[in-house]
Amino acid sequence: SQTIHQWPATLVQPVGSPLSLECTVEGTSNPNLYWYRQAAGRGLQLLFYSVGIGQISSEVPQNLSASRPQDRQFILSSKKLLLSDSGFYLCAWSVFSRQYNEQFFGPGTRLTVL
Amino acid sequence: AQSVAQPEDQVNVAEGNPLTVKCTYSVSGNPYLFWYVQYPNRGLQFLLKYITGDNLVKGSYGFEAEFNKSQTSFHLKKPSALVSDSALYFCAVRDGYNFNKFYFGSGTKLNVKP
């Protein structure tokens, strides 16, 4: 069966510090991978998605970047965090298929920038 | 533009009563629609999807959803609510052009009172 891992689970960082959040998927090959941010426990904002190694699509210009160094690894980074980067970060994967596109989400990382 | 609307921030229902969580969508092409549930501080869990076929779709935990093309709606339903159904519910639609992208509603908080 497939599983998705995210770490760390919680993170408190000062403004201006760097960020690295990691997401890995097990039990599937060549998944689509996604980073979302959820602010104030509500709507999801798509930040980045990737359909393959080294392929990153950015949805919202901002202080963050993403990388996919391996097939099942997706990393969210920042060189200098802003207060507005606080939120709940969710990684998700889906199968690349016209028919079966439901997404499977990781447990999330709660980021607080102080 | 492609989008999803969940008109109710919160839905309150008594245990044992039927529940409905509303969703309307706007998408180019054939709609691929999804419902997800989120418990506090957790990732989203897939509940059900509509791809094609019967307008009434059955999913996990006794939930079902009714697709209505003329009203562009995809309401989530359950005949008898449980206290444990209390959670945040998200409707989502796949982009009609870019099958790798999804749009999520703002979420509806379901409160089931004993």
Side-chain angles (χ1 to χ4, degrees), chain A:
Chain A
S1 64
Q2 300 89 0
T3 54
I4 178 169
H5 304 279
Q6 280 186 249
W7 64 90
T10 60
L11 192 60
V12 180
Q13 292 285 96
V15 169
S17 62
L19 173 73
S20 181
L21 303 182
E22 189 162 344
C23 170
T24 58
V25 180
E26 297 176 357
T28 188
S29 296
N30 195 31
N32 284 2
L33 294 172
Y34 303 82
W35 278 113
Y36 290 90
R37 178 168 59 203
Q38 185 178 27
R42 280 297 185 172
L44 274 67
Q45 179 186 34
L46 177 61
L47 301 175
F48 302 94
Y49 69 92
S50 171
V51 301
I53 296 174
Q55 300 179 59
I56 308 294
S57 295
S58 175
E59 290 300 300
V60 182
Q62 54 200 329
N63 188 40
L64 302 170
S65 61
S67 61
R68 184 170 178 174
Q70 300 180 43
D71 181 45
R72 289 169 289 179
Q73 184 186 30
F74 205 24
I75 297 171
L76 183 69
S77 303
S78 174
K79 292 182 179 178
K80 289 186 178 182
L81 284 169
L82 306 172
L83 286 174
S84 57
D85 291 324
S86 293
F88 193 48
Y89 287 81
L90 292 162
C91 181
W93 70 272
S94 69
V95 173
F96 179 63
S97 164
R98 287 176 177 266
Q99 191 71 10
Y100 303 107
N101 262 152
E102 60 264 37
Q103 296 179 300
F104 299 94
F105 286 79
T109 295
R110 174 79 56 194
L111 172 65
T112 304
V113 183
L114 300 175

Side-chain angles (χ1 to χ4, degrees), chain A residues 32 34 36 38 41-44 46 49 51 59 88 90 94 96-103 105-107 110, chain B residues 9 32 34 36 38 41-44 46 49 51-52 88 90 94 98-102 104-109:
Chain A
N32 284 2
Y34 303 82
Y36 290 90
Q38 185 178 27
R42 280 297 185 172
L44 274 67
L46 177 61
Y49 69 92
V51 301
E59 290 300 300
F88 193 48
L90 292 162
S94 69
F96 179 63
S97 164
R98 287 176 177 266
Q99 191 71 10
Y100 303 107
N101 262 152
E102 60 264 37
Q103 296 179 300
F105 286 79
R110 174 79 56 194
Chain B
D9 270 354
Y32 282 33
F34 307 83
Y36 294 84
Q38 185 182 32
N41 296 309
R42 299 291 184 93
L44 278 67
F46 168 71
K49 66 183 175 184
I51 304 295
T52 186
L88 191 56
F90 290 95
R94 195 184 71 177
N98 182 343
F99 295 160
N100 298 307
K101 286 177 60 174
F102 300 83
F104 283 79
S106 56
T108 298
K109 190 170 191 300

Side-chain angles (χ1 to χ4, degrees), chain B residues 3-21:
Chain B
S3 63
V4 172
Q6 292 181 243
E8 302 155 316
D9 270 354
Q10 186 166 299
V11 170
N12 299 311
V13 64
E15 188 175 31
N17 283 0
L19 70 88
T20 298
V21 182

Side-chain angles (χ1 to χ4, degrees), chain B residues 11 13-19 21 37-39 47 60-63 76-89 108-113:
Chain B
V11 170
V13 64
E15 188 175 31
N17 283 0
L19 70 88
V21 182
V37 60
Q38 185 182 32
Y39 296 98
L47 277 180
S60 307
Y61 312 120
F63 282 93
L76 182 70
K77 301 182 179 186
K78 188 172 183 181
S80 178
L82 300 172
V83 172
S84 57
D85 292 330
S86 298
L88 191 56
Y89 290 81
T108 298
K109 190 170 191 300
L110 174 65
N111 295 314
V112 182
K113 302 280 173 66

